[in-house]
Amino acid sequence: MSPETALSRVNSFNLLQNFQINALGPILVSKEFAPLLSKATEDSGASKQRPAVIANLSARVGSISDNSLGGWYSYRASKSAQNQLSKCMSIEFERRKQNIAVVMLHPGTVDTDLSMPFQKNVKPEKLFTRERAVKQLLDIIDNVTMEDNGRYIAWDGQDIPF
């Protein structure tokens, strides 16, 4: 599976596979964990300052307003769908006054098999090791409060527009 660089390369297999992995997977896992998180927040006395956190690994390419290059149809769309599903979940938890914060995280460009074909276009200081990416994201997660609920956050703590 490779990113579609032109509309003529879009096909149902790529669309379905990307949506299953990037949109359906995270929401279905969250659905199963939500009752456990809800009970845990009640038992532990989670607060607005220290909520339970659902952190979904997103990508900047999932931003509709930040899309200036086009392409990557199915991957972009699946990440946008993941962000929308996560945002809906964040609103539901807030409406139910549950101390569960949902955030969408962009790790930056990480040195993986997925990014390998595109690394030549990445400045060396913007290509992160897996270990660095994990540390950056855990630092964000460790500091999430209910005020962060529903945020789409880059590796450096900056908001990404939807």
Side-chain angles (χ1 to χ4, degrees):
M1 188 169 62
S2 62
E4 306 94 342
T5 54
L7 182 59
S8 62
R9 293 186 176 162
V10 174
N11 64 67
S12 61
F13 177 81
N14 283 6
L15 284 163
L16 289 171
Q17 188 166 28
N18 274 297
F19 270 79
Q20 286 176 331
I21 293 166
N22 296 317
L24 277 64
I27 193 69
L28 293 175
V29 168
S30 296
K31 174 187 168 188
E32 297 304 320
F33 274 93
L36 301 172
L37 290 172
S38 182
K39 176 144 179 38
T41 59
E42 292 168 12
D43 294 347
S44 71
S47 68
K48 291 186 180 297
Q49 293 307 309
R50 295 296 294 167
V53 178
I54 293 176
N56 284 325
L57 193 59
S58 188
R60 184 173 291 276
V61 298
S63 169
I64 294 171
S65 60
D66 193 48
N67 181 359
S68 60
L69 297 176
W72 291 57
Y73 286 87
S74 62
Y75 186 73
R76 281 183 189 276
S78 69
K79 287 299 189 177
S80 294
Q82 178 199 46
N83 291 342
Q84 180 68 280
L85 292 166
S86 297
K87 181 67 175 181
C88 288
M89 193 172 28
S90 75
I91 293 168
E92 181 176 343
F93 289 140
E94 189 166 340
R95 194 176 60 238
R96 292 182 177 193
K97 300 197 183 325
Q98 294 176 295
N99 288 320
I100 302 171
V102 181
V103 293
M104 294 128 280
L105 301 176
H106 166 56
T109 305
V110 183
D111 187 9
T112 64
D113 291 344
L114 179 66
S115 70
M116 189 68 65
F118 315 102
Q119 289 180 10
K120 65 182 178 293
N121 300 324
V122 179
K123 295 177 183 172
E125 67 274 10
K126 295 286 182 152
L127 180 63
F128 305 134
T129 65
R130 294 174 184 140
E131 294 78 13
R132 179 175 172 186
V134 167
K135 182 185 180 326
Q136 291 171 162
L137 296 180
L138 287 175
D139 287 346
I140 292 170
I141 293 167
D142 285 345
N143 291 296
V144 165
T145 70
M146 283 307 292
E147 288 184 17
D148 298 309
N149 188 33
R151 282 183 64 201
Y152 184 9
I153 310 169
W155 60 272
D156 60 359
Q158 299 298 308
D159 286 320
I160 299 172
F162 284 93

